[in-house]
């Protein structure tokens, strides 16, 4: 769940809980559904922000040195990439 969909669920839940007249939808407790949607939206928003934090990403650097057997020249290769968790 991304930040935008989390905010959408929070807004939809708030509309169902507070803005619509109770009993508009028969046999459904729309206030409870509104609170549930808001809770799911808040949980999704917190999870999205934690997963998007810059401290979670890791950078991996790798250096390889090889000697060319024909010329005896030393070749060094540096490689950086994002690490997978």
């Amino acid at each position: 769940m991304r930040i935008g969909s989390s905010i959408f669920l929070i807004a939809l839940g708030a509309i169902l809980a507070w803005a619509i007249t109770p009993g508009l939808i028969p046999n459904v407790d729309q206030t409870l559904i509104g609170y549930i949607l808001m809770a799911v939206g808040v949980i999704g928003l917190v999870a999205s922000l934690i997963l998007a934090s810059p401290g979670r990403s890791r950078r991996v650097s790798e250096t390889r040195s090889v000697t060319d057997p024909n010329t005896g020249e030393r070749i060094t290769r540096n490689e950086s990439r994002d690490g997978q968790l």
Side-chain angles (χ1 to χ4, degrees), residues 27 32 34 85:
N27 300 326
L32 179 63
L85 290 180

Side-chain angles (χ1 to χ4, degrees), residues 1-3 6 43-58 85:
M1 183 179 304
R2 300 282 185 176
I3 294 173
S6 298
I43 291 169
L45 183 63
V46 170
S48 296
L49 292 175
I50 289 172
L51 292 175
S53 68
R56 184 162 170 84
S57 65
R58 295 188 181 184
L85 290 180

